[in-house]
Amino acid sequence: MTDGGLERENGGLTSMESIESRWVFQGEDDLDIDSGDRDTVDGDDDSTTCNGMELESDDEDNVEQKLIRTGPRIDSFDVEALEVPGVQKNDFEDVSVGRAILLAFQTLGVVFGDVGTSPLYTFSVMFSKAPVNGNEDVLGALSLVLYTLILVPLVKYVLIVVWANDDGEGGTFALYSLLCRHAKVNLLPNQLRSDARISSFRLKVPSPELERSLKIKERLEASLTLKKLLLMLVLVGTSMVIADGVVTPAMSVMSAVGGLKVGLSGVKQDQVVMISVACLVVLFSVQKYGTSKVGLVVGPALFIWFCSLGGIGVYNLIKYDSHVWRAFNPVHIYYYFKRNSTKAWYSLGGCLLCATGSEAMFADLCYFSVRSVQLTFMFLVLPCLLLGYLGQAAYLMENHADTTQAFFSSVPSGAFWPVFLIANIAALIASRAMTTATFSCIKQSTALGCFPRLKIVHTSRKFMGQIYIPVMNWFLLALSLVLVCSISSIYEIGNAYAIAELGVMMMTTILVTIVMLLIWQINILVVLSFIIIFLGLELTFFSSVLWSVGDGSWIILVFAVVLFLIMYIWNYGSKLKYETEVKQKMSMDLLRELGPNLGTIRAPGIGLLYNELAKGIPAIFGHFLTTLPAVHSMIIFVCIKYVPVPVVPQNERFLFRRVCPRSYHIFRCIARYGYKDARKENHHTFEQLLIESLEKFIRREAQERSLESDGDCSDSEEEYSFSRVLVAPNGSVYSLGIPLLADFRDTGKAVMEESTSEELKPGTSSESLVSEAEQSLEKELSFIHKAKESGVVYLLGHGDIRARKNSWFIKKLIINYFYAFLRKNSRRGTANLSVPHSHLVQVGMQYMV
């Protein structure tokens, strides 16, 4: 919508980008000015104009790009943004001390549950692969755990990866959407150049890093293979996150309930499995109550758990062997591998379990601020985890035989049952942390066209990111129960756990590396160090867990592959469907031949024709013309479009364009939503917002025509400047100048004053022309009001695709069966509209691809 916007820091208005010079690609501004701000008739290859009446060309991608310096950009949204203070404000800015403490407790309950319960099973799984033969083995295993904790959760995720968030949103798809916004790598061809103007974006001053970034961007945009490879990496990471959401509850609950075998000698493994099943059913049943409600309850519980970890660790250090501090010397890792060789390598999969939950910290970032996550981890979570592992190692130095239940065996006998109770609560919390991360990831992938549409329930009125997906909740429960009942050993489940964690960790490392090169534009040595250290470390761990995949952990790999195929088939089918609709869109010449009545009867009222096309007239409209006995006096093509940003401000929601000459009364509206936006408005509210935006568009269009009739527009174009008139939300009329390259001078404040405070005086043109323009404007607004009073009907076209008879067998199988099955069982668009059936008209259409 606007490149020039308001930049806010800490809730205050600090600077206006519109009055500052900036670096852009040559041809970008010229294209904006030459094609924008005019009343034009929509053609076959038309695009969309926004409220500022911008016109994009289908040939815009072919413009030669060269980085040049431009003048200030001033447009209508600079004025409108003044009326919406804090429109881009983050939910967690300017929090009070009490609010910060509350967030810290919720952070513990939601983000750190998974990593906090890792002491329950890490040493047990490690020593099942490499049994303890002496104290040096304990020191070596402890040293491995300590440095894995420091390198992966702390350095990689807490200090680096969390900064690669997409306006507070974390996870694999948040990284993908961040890349999609900075380079045209999305395979779905529904992007508009106006999408890049939703949020302010300023390029850096030219530098070697920027030059490298532009080359990478050009290479990514030009190569279809690289785009597909990037999407496949994202889908692999997402499938591993969802698989993680299955195995985390199974592993956490089984290991916590397994403590009964230490407290009660008569308890058997079958009884542990049955109790675990009951706990899992309870866990997933309370998931619907939301993150904030449950987070407040479990936050204090997890705080007690971390304090217990630290306290038990200090107790064991004092009682048994305080010399385990020597494990901070990494030479013990070398000795560990030298003594155990292959067995030590097998134990790496168990060692990685101490870092489980690291990806959940990033994926759950949407619920909390980066600083709250960083501070809570560094000053509470990490110290307690280190003390917990040191204490267990100190106990094992004198009790080599207790490695099967290392944690519960190291708990003092007097505190066993209270610790057992809080450990089980913590395990349930850990399972919720990964489940909420799974929900967040699925919502992002759905919004970006890579997952079938499902019902999403928003559990918080304050924060849009807190969601619950009923279908996925019960799906995860069923698979977790299957995993617990079929693989009753936590050692085998631990190996599956490590596979899921490593899969998503490696994808995150690769995507963050691309973010460093393309967006952060930091020194190449830093980027190389990041990918060599962390990807090398993760590949080493992955080689270990793959060697034991035959133990039963192959189940999680099969599940991840199935999820990957579902997402890839959905994306592939959606892309084919959209491309076919673009090819078969109606010709403008046909509409002109039909005339203003469209060859049928125009009945009073407004028809909102929903379709997925961002450009052109959908073929389904022709189907409506031939199927229905009459069409409405006003037709608005509505495209609900998700763009790769977390949130679209309400005042930038709608883009409007007049499709045909005025007498046709046909418009196009693109309603844009971010993947974090909650579409909670009912159909009455949506209609009201849409009509208000349409009226604002028509008023501005009239102002533009009035200016052009005065001849000022042509004069200003000859002088390489362009003026426009707009009506601000408060009713004031402003003249906005947009100087081009030729006459930009660093006038600073003067430009601002000249462009925003120069109010037009009436009578600048002949009274007759003004009167005619006003009458025409009032007539059209009156027409809209009468149409609105007659009623609004939603025209929904359901387009299905079938493979052609001469297509390959694989394509027929994918499109005609798999994709058709997914589409039939996914949530229909009508479910989100909340429209009475009496206001709906639905027509089906089939495309051959």
Side-chain angles (χ1 to χ4, degrees):
M1 298 276 276
T2 173
D3 285 337
L6 296 181
E7 185 176 324
R8 291 174 172 81
E9 295 179 2
N10 300 324
L13 188 64
T14 59
S15 65
M16 181 169 285
E17 188 177 334
S18 299
I19 62 172
E20 298 179 3
S21 61
R22 54 200 180 96
W23 291 93
V24 300
F25 294 110
Q26 185 178 28
E28 179 180 319
D29 276 19
D30 297 336
L31 189 59
D32 287 346
I33 300 304
D34 293 340
S35 60
D37 295 85
R38 306 196 184 154
D39 180 45
T40 59
V41 178
D42 211 345
D44 287 346
D45 294 329
D46 65 278
S47 202
T48 311
T49 58
C50 70
N51 290 349
M53 299 183 63
E54 295 158 343
L55 169 64
E56 278 83 16
S57 167
D58 281 351
D59 296 330
E60 66 191 18
D61 295 338
N62 299 326
V63 177
E64 181 180 355
Q65 293 188 334
K66 179 181 177 182
L67 203 64
I68 57 174
R69 193 177 183 88
T70 76
R73 160 79 48 93
I74 303 172
D75 63 28
S76 61
F77 281 101
D78 291 331
V79 178
E80 291 184 10
L82 294 173
E83 305 296 321
V84 191
V87 72
Q88 302 281 1
K89 190 173 181 180
N90 190 282
D91 290 335
F92 303 104
E93 292 179 357
D94 300 332
V95 295
S96 61
V97 175
R99 180 65 177 155
I101 295 174
L102 189 64
L103 277 176
F105 271 111
Q106 285 185 303
T107 304
L108 280 176
V110 176
V111 179
F112 298 113
D114 199 358
V115 70
T117 54
S118 60
L120 289 173
Y121 43 75
T122 299
F123 277 141
S124 297
V125 177
M126 281 190 74
F127 292 130
S128 70
K129 306 289 185 182
V132 177
N133 295 319
N135 287 345
E136 282 297 323
D137 288 341
V138 176
L139 279 179
L142 175 62
S143 187
L144 265 175
V145 168
L146 294 179
Y147 280 99
T148 302
L149 263 179
I150 292 171
L151 284 175
V152 179
L154 177 62
V155 178
K156 179 186 172 182
Y157 279 92
V158 173
L159 297 182
I160 299 175
V161 171
V162 292
W163 290 113
N165 67 85
D166 188 15
D167 193 24
E169 193 82 8
T172 310
F173 260 95
L175 290 172
Y176 184 58
S177 71
L178 198 61
L179 294 173
C180 287
R181 200 159 70 250
H182 288 79
K184 296 177 182 179
V185 295
N186 194 341
L187 290 175
L188 196 63
N190 67 342
Q191 300 90 16
L192 298 174
R193 191 148 54 86
S194 56
D195 296 339
R197 299 172 191 164
I198 293 172
S199 304
S200 296
F201 177 71
R202 189 183 308 169
L203 291 175
K204 296 182 179 180
V205 174
S207 63
E209 287 78 14
L210 177 58
E211 184 178 352
R212 184 187 66 227
S213 172
L214 293 176
K215 289 180 180 178
I216 294 173
K217 179 174 182 280
E218 182 181 356
R219 183 69 182 272
L220 279 173
E221 293 179 345
S223 174
L224 181 62
T225 302
L226 289 179
K227 290 181 183 180
K228 289 183 177 180
L229 180 60
L230 181 62
L231 177 64
M232 291 178 70
L233 289 175
V234 172
L235 296 184
V236 168
T238 306
S239 62
M240 288 296 183
V241 169
I242 301 174
D244 214 349
V246 172
V247 74
T248 296
M251 185 67 181
S252 300
V253 173
M254 280 277 289
S255 57
V257 175
L260 281 174
K261 293 193 292 186
V262 176
L264 300 173
S265 57
V267 175
K268 304 298 182 182
Q269 183 63 27
D270 291 342
Q271 295 171 306
V272 170
V273 170
M274 294 305 298
I275 296 173
S276 300
V277 167
C279 290
L280 287 173
V281 172
V282 173
L283 165 70
F284 283 95
S285 298
V286 301
Q287 190 77 37
K288 62 183 178 181
Y289 293 109
T291 302
S292 57
K293 297 174 185 176
V294 180
L296 283 174
V297 175
V298 302
L302 208 59
F303 177 76
I304 297 172
W305 165 250
F306 280 114
C307 291
S308 300
L309 276 180
I312 294 170
V314 171
Y315 172 83
N316 287 330
L317 283 171
I318 295 173
K319 182 176 180 180
Y320 295 104
D321 189 351
S322 60
H323 292 93
V324 293
W325 293 100
R326 292 176 296 168
F328 280 101
N329 185 348
V331 72
H332 292 286
I333 298 177
Y334 168 75
Y335 293 148
Y336 180 69
F337 278 92
K338 184 178 179 180
R339 285 189 307 275
N340 296 282
S341 61
T342 306
K343 290 182 179 180
W345 179 59
Y346 287 158
S347 70
L348 285 178
C351 175
L352 181 80
L353 296 181
C354 71
T356 54
S358 300
E359 189 65 31
M361 287 192 294
F362 182 46
D364 284 329
L365 195 62
C366 59
Y367 301 103
F368 307 101
S369 65
V370 172
R371 287 297 184 192
S372 66
V373 170
Q374 289 179 324
L375 294 176
T376 306
F377 184 83
M378 287 189 288
F379 293 105
L380 175 62
V381 175
L382 184 61
C384 291
L385 286 175
L386 294 177
L387 286 173
Y389 283 114
L390 287 166
Q392 284 188 55
Y395 173 82
L396 292 175
M397 294 283 277
E398 296 185 9
N399 301 273
H400 295 170
D402 290 338
T403 56
T404 53
Q405 286 287 344
F407 173 77
F408 286 108
S409 299
S410 67
V411 175
S413 56
F416 178 84
W417 290 110
V419 171
F420 173 79
L421 177 63
I422 197 67
N424 277 270
I425 295 175
L428 295 176
I429 296 169
S431 304
R432 289 198 79 261
M434 199 61 232
T435 307
T436 53
T438 303
F439 291 162
S440 178
C441 193
I442 290 173
K443 184 178 186 294
Q444 294 171 15
S445 59
T446 301
L448 294 177
C450 295
F451 203 91
R453 291 185 294 269
L454 302 172
K455 180 181 179 181
I456 297 176
V457 179
H458 294 264
T459 59
S460 173
R461 294 184 178 181
K462 294 182 179 179
F463 305 115
M464 290 178 291
Q466 301 186 5
I467 60 173
Y468 166 69
I469 305 178
V471 172
M472 285 305 301
N473 185 65
W474 303 119
F475 181 67
L476 294 176
L477 170 61
L479 290 174
S480 295
L481 294 181
V482 169
L483 196 64
V484 167
C485 296
S486 60
I487 308 177
S488 58
S489 169
I490 65 167
Y491 309 130
E492 295 178 6
I493 297 178
N495 198 62
Y497 200 3
I499 289 175
E501 282 285 334
L502 282 167
V504 68
M505 282 181 179
M506 289 188 292
M507 297 307 107
T508 299
T509 301
I510 296 171
L511 292 173
V512 171
T513 302
I514 300 174
V515 169
M516 287 180 170
L517 292 170
L518 184 63
I519 303 172
W520 292 355
Q521 299 166 15
I522 59 179
N523 191 281
I524 190 65
L525 293 178
V526 177
V527 179
L528 288 176
S529 299
F530 175 81
I531 192 169
I532 290 173
I533 292 173
F534 292 109
L535 189 59
L537 186 66
E538 288 155 4
L539 285 172
T540 303
F541 281 119
F542 198 61
S543 65
S544 172
V545 295
L546 280 183
W547 192 261
S548 304
V549 74
D551 295 341
S553 52
W554 57 270
I555 294 178
I556 209 66
L557 279 178
V558 172
F559 174 62
V561 169
V562 171
L563 282 172
F564 172 82
L565 291 176
I566 289 174
M567 290 186 288
Y568 189 82
I569 289 172
W570 181 264
N571 181 265
Y572 175 71
S574 301
K575 178 175 174 289
L576 275 183
K577 179 176 178 291
Y578 187 88
E579 289 175 345
T580 305
E581 289 181 342
V582 170
K583 291 177 182 177
Q584 298 187 14
K585 62 186 179 181
M586 288 186 64
S587 168
M588 277 300 303
D589 293 334
L590 177 60
L591 285 187
R592 292 191 184 100
E593 290 175 5
L594 293 175
N597 289 331
L598 301 176
T600 183
I601 301 173
R602 302 293 295 268
I606 298 177
L608 302 182
L609 196 156
Y610 278 75
N611 68 101
E612 297 180 3
L613 281 188
K615 300 179 181 181
I617 299 173
I620 197 76
F621 182 57
H623 205 43
F624 274 106
L625 291 179
T626 56
T627 304
L628 301 179
V631 295
H632 298 83
S633 57
M634 177 174 287
I635 298 292
I636 302 177
F637 300 127
V638 181
C639 172
I640 302 294
K641 180 181 176 185
Y642 285 92
V643 290
V645 295
V647 178
V648 176
Q650 187 64 58
N651 68 321
E652 300 181 22
R653 176 82 64 214
F654 297 103
L655 302 182
F656 270 96
R657 171 76 194 272
R658 191 184 294 278
V659 175
C660 294
R662 185 186 298 266
S663 58
Y664 282 66
H665 301 294
I666 300 179
F667 300 87
R668 173 178 294 104
C669 169
I670 298 181
R672 301 182 297 181
Y673 291 84
Y675 56 78
K676 197 177 175 182
D677 277 327
R679 291 183 55 194
K680 289 184 177 181
E681 68 267 11
N682 57 38
H683 70 283
H684 290 298
T685 306
F686 183 83
E687 292 167 12
Q688 187 66 27
L689 291 172
L690 187 144
I691 297 301
E692 288 177 359
S693 299
L694 176 59
E695 290 179 358
K696 186 184 294 185
F697 165 79
I698 291 174
R699 290 182 186 278
R700 289 180 179 171
E701 182 188 48
Q703 293 288 345
E704 293 288 343
R705 287 186 171 182
S706 175
L707 180 63
E708 289 182 359
S709 66
D710 293 338
D712 295 339
C713 181
S714 59
D715 294 338
S716 60
E717 285 179 350
E718 292 174 1
E719 297 171 2
Y720 295 95
S721 64
F722 191 90
S723 298
R724 80 170 76 173
V725 177
L726 62 92
V727 181
N730 59 10
S732 300
V733 181
Y734 294 93
S735 171
L736 298 182
I738 307 181
L740 297 185
L741 300 178
D743 39 30
F744 170 66
R745 300 292 183 270
D746 190 12
T747 54
K749 187 177 179 180
V751 174
M752 183 64 186
E753 293 175 352
E754 180 183 7
S755 62
T756 59
S757 62
E758 184 181 320
E759 194 162 333
L760 289 186
K761 298 179 180 180
T764 56
S765 60
S766 63
E767 295 182 2
S768 60
L769 290 176
V770 172
S771 177
E772 289 178 7
E774 289 179 352
Q775 289 177 5
S776 177
L777 173 62
E778 293 303 323
K779 184 178 179 181
E780 186 162 17
L781 292 178
S782 175
F783 183 88
I784 294 175
H785 293 156
K786 289 180 180 178
K788 176 69 167 62
E789 291 173 0
S790 299
V792 177
V793 175
Y794 291 75
L795 309 174
L796 305 179
H798 298 297
D800 294 320
I801 59 174
R802 298 280 296 179
R804 298 181 186 274
K805 292 183 178 180
N806 58 350
S807 301
W808 291 93
F809 172 75
I810 298 297
K811 184 177 181 180
K812 289 181 180 179
L813 185 65
I814 291 175
I815 297 299
N816 297 348
Y817 295 96
F818 295 147
Y819 178 72
F821 175 80
L822 292 175
R823 189 168 178 83
K824 182 179 179 181
N825 291 278
S826 66
R827 188 173 172 84
R828 290 280 185 177
T830 55
N832 292 325
L833 296 177
S834 301
V835 179
H837 289 288
S838 58
H839 290 204
L840 283 175
V841 177
Q842 303 185 52
V843 173
M845 190 171 182
Q846 192 173 91
Y847 301 100
M848 302 304 293
V849 296

